[in-house]
């Protein structure tokens, strides 16, 4: 077995690799960027070395720097994880040249599968069916448009160097082709440094079904069955499962065999995935699946395969890299039960899945039968804008598909994340969606059901706001009571009517408050009645608040005071009977602190209005266009003096692997452009200002 491994990656996959390495007694070496100095994977590794500034191209993509660290720490091997350098043949070559085992296939295999056009041509020779289309060298727009016409719309334009769903555009009619081509090429150039594309038939009712393959260095190749990754958004996987619903043993054997042939055709070694697209209009049929690409690395969703086979794929990778032959053959493998994985992201489904960053004030995952959590962060860590916004993968295994999905839904329901917005409610809705549970579904399922899945703007959760306000007022009262105790040696009071009993002449305590709920100012009255109930009546922009209390609620409220809000990262206050969890976002619970109220998987932020906290920068809200997040201004379409229409595209900011178009909030004239194309921009920075038509 290998003596040591350097993990050229970060986050959850680095943690995942370290876990298996430790179990096998392999010394673990982490490398990290400045942004990750305190990250969980750095803490978990036996040793860790800095490799550069936060942007990946200055750290995790620095081949020379990583090899240098590997040599200095005498690493016997390098595991690239997924993403970053995992599919860069030069990196695998650099490892081998320096006598370090690369945990992955030979450079030639990476190269052969690296470009989608060449890969298609290659596997076609091995009699693997491919999607019909043009995957030649010519790139002239007129020529490609002609090809699209010959293939027949709808077509898909794909970056030949593509990955992660980038540089890909579906085109439904000729009139849209040129614009789609231009943007696909631009995205491909920026993401992969290669603008070339291919054009292929867009398969109708597409199902993404992929086969996990594994090969040793002695010519043995097996497949570990399929995964269905059809629940996608923007061509990126959201939920993956194994086995694929509707898969028959015959079709599995045919697909598995095609994948093994594709792997053999390139002399593959280690773990790899052959991705197919199946035309699902009449269910899965052996004559209707086509090769898309091969990912020559460990895949994000490998845990579902581990769950149904009982194998540890990272262990198998280590064994293959140390030259051990496979200890089993195809016929020894069987499928046990069903497994599903959900990717928990820091993003806001209610705002078009805009990535969300910031400190994780609370992060808790449930334990349960058949539940596995793969994460790279802990409470107190920060989701930064530099890398993929995945917080965790939640994997559920059961004897049947329904059981696995029920377990996943329950696990999502009991997952607590406060700080960044997440897709947890969206994922839970997906697990419970009837069509996904029972019916035919395809890669368009999410887009067709955004409304039902809750991925549209929704009204403020007033009930949650009330709970948060109660906590805020309560923490203020508690502090007051503590002061009294300190100064007057009075007993510690836990509730306002107790602490303020001198004021409770009329039998209830009432106070006008101005709060800020999800950034909007709300005026209301808060009341405590003699039966110790709390009310909030709001008469404001967000309307009249419901009346909260029940006797259960007041019990809970009493208990809430026992939580010690003066601790940083104090444990969240929980009221399971009300379905809420309240987390203080701030070092000390002062009245100006923010309370994050989690309810039904949504997060509502509440704080008291602070008259001294006027934000001059943001006073011109309507006429300024600001960066929605930290990122890079990759395109600017306007200059001062231009007349624009409301909704017109003004610029594109790229952040967290996605392009975010910025549009004119109003019609008017461009007054100022405050950033240059190519500049790094900070969240909230004013980029463009408009002179608005009167
Ligand atoms: P997979 O094909 O393994 O399921 P995806 O298709 O979702 O993965 O992602 C494609 C690519 O996006 C990955 O190969 C990797 O380059 C990148 N990626 C996804 N998640 C992460 C992450 N957490 N850290 C770094 N890169 C990532
Ligand atoms: P990437 O390298 O970005 O993973 P893929 O070629 O694997 O690119 O495609 C990503 C996703 O796009 C697939 O999972 C599938 O949902 C969709 N897709 C790709 N090719 C087609 C096609 N020809 N027809 C329909 N959908 C497709
Ligand atoms: Mg793919």
């Amino acid at each position: 077995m290998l003596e040591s491994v350097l993990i050229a990656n970060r986050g959850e996959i680095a943690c995942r690799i370290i876990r298996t390495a430790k179990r096998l007694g392999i010394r673990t070496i982490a490398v990290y960027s400045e942004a990750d100095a305190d990250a969980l994977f750095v803490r978990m590794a036996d040793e860790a070395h800095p490799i550069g500034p936060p942007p990946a191209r200055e750290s995790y993509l620095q081949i020379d720097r990583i090899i240098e660290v590997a040599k200095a720490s005498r690493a016997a091997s390098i595991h690239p994880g997924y993403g970053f350098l995992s599919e860069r043949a030069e990196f695998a070559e650099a490892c081998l040249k320096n006598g370090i085992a690369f945990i992955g296939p030979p450079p030639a295999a990476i190269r052969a599968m690296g470009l989608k056009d060449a890969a298609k041509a290659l596997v076609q020779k091995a009699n693997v069916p491919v999607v019909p289309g043009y995957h030649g060298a010519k790139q002239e727009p007129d020529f490609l448009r002609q090809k699209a016409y010959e293939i027949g719309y709808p077509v898909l334009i794909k970056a030949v160097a593509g990955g992660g769903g980038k540089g890909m555009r579906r085109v439904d009619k000729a009139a849209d082709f040129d614009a789609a081509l231009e943007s696909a090429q631009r995205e491909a150039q920026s993401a992969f440094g290669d603008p070339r594309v291919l054009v292929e038939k867009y398969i109708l009712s597409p199902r993404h079904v992929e086969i996990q393959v594994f090969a040793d260095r002695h010519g043995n190749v097996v497949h570990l069955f399929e995964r269905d990754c059809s629940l996608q958004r923007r061509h990126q996987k959201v939920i993956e499962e194994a086995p694929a619903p509707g898969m028959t043993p015959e079709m599995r054997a045919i697909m598995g065999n095609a994948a093994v042939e594709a792997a053999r055709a390139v002399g593959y070694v280690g773990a790899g995935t052959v991705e197919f697209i199946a035309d699902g209009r009449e269910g899965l049929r052996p004559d209707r699946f086509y090769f898309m690409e091969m990912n020559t690395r460990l895949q994000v969703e490998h845990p579902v395969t581990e769950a149904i086979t009982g194998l540890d794929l990272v262990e198998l990778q280590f064994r293959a890299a140390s030259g051990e032959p496979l200890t089993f053959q195809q016929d020894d493998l069987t499928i046990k039960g069903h497994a599903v994985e959900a990717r928990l992201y820091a993003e806001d489904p209610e705002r078009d899945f805009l990535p969300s960053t910031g400190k994780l004030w609370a992060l808790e995952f449930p334990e349960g039968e058949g539940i596995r959590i793969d994460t790279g962060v802990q409470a107190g860590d920060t989701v930064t804008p530099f890398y993929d916004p995945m917080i965790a993968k939640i994997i559920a295994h059961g004897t049947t598909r329904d059981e696995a999905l029920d377990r996943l839904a329950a696990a999502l329901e009991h997952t607590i994340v406060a700080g960044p917005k997440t897709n947890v409610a969206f994922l839970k809705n997906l697990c419970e969606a009837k069509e996904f549970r029972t019916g035919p579904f395809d890669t368009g399922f999410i887009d067709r059901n955004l409304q039902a899945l809750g991925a549209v703007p929704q009204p403020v959760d007033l009930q949650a706001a009330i709970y948060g306000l109660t906590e805020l007022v309560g923490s203020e009262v508690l502090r007051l009571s503590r002061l009294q105790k300190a100064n007057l040696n009075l007993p510690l009071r836990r509730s306002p009517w107790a602490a303020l009993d001198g004021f409770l002449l009329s039998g209830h305590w009432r106070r006008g408050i101005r709060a800020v709920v999800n950034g909007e100012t709300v005026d209301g009255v808060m009341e405590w009645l003699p039966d110790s109930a709390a009310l909030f009546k709001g008469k404001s922009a967000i309307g009249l608040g419901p009346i909260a209390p029940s006797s259960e609620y007041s019990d809970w409220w009493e208990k809430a005071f026992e939580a010690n809000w003066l601790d940083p990262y104090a444990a969240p206050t929980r009221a399971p009977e009300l379905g809420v969890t309240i987390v203080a976002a701030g070092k000390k619970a002062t009245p100006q602190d923010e309370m994050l109220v989690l309810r039904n998987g949504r997060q509502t932020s509440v704080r008291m209005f602070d008259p001294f906290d006027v934000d001059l920068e943001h006073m011109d809200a309507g006429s300024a266009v600001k960066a929605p997040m930290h990122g890079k201004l990759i395109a600017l379409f306007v200059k001062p003096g231009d007349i624009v229409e409301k909704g017109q595209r003004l610029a594109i900011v790229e952040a967290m692997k996605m392009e975010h178009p910025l549009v004119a909030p109003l019609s008017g004239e461009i007054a100022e452009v405050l950033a240059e194309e190519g500049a790094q921009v900070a969240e909230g920075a004013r980029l463009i200002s408009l002179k608005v038509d009167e």
Side-chain angles (χ1 to χ4, degrees), residues 82-84 164 237 275 295 297 299-301 343 388 390 657:
Y82 54 73
F84 295 132
K237 299 158 189 167
E275 295 189 331
N295 293 326
R297 54 171 163 88
Q299 199 98 336
V300 174
E301 59 275 21
R343 299 188 188 193
D388 188 276
M390 191 159 74
K657 309 201 297 168

Side-chain angles (χ1 to χ4, degrees), residues 156-220:
L156 195 63
I157 302 175
K158 272 188 192 179
V160 299
K166 292 191 96 175
M168 199 175 292
R169 297 288 184 279
R170 175 183 165 156
V171 194
D172 290 311
K173 50 184 198 299
D176 301 337
F177 188 84
D178 289 6
L181 178 65
E182 187 246 67
S183 86
Q185 286 172 331
R186 183 169 25 84
E187 196 169 294
Q189 175 64 42
S190 123
F192 315 113
D194 181 347
R196 287 175 300 157
V197 296
L198 58 82
V199 182
E200 65 184 29
K201 182 83 189 156
Y202 186 86
I203 302 297
L204 293 170
S205 292
R207 293 262 306 268
H208 175 118
V209 181
E210 59 186 32
I211 302 278
Q212 174 73 54
V213 294
F214 200 91
D216 65 16
R217 287 208 194 147
H218 310 278
N220 301 305

Side-chain angles (χ1 to χ4, degrees), residues 591-622:
Q592 262 63 49
D593 268 346
E594 197 183 354
M595 292 288 170
L596 301 173
V597 187
L598 308 175
R599 185 169 178 266
N600 299 327
R602 295 176 74 208
Q603 173 173 285
T604 303
S605 125
V606 188
R607 62 187 165 84
M608 291 298 178
F609 179 79
D610 179 356
F612 299 107
D613 187 21
V614 179
D615 184 354
L616 295 171
E617 268 290 296
H618 296 81
M619 299 249 323
D620 55 352

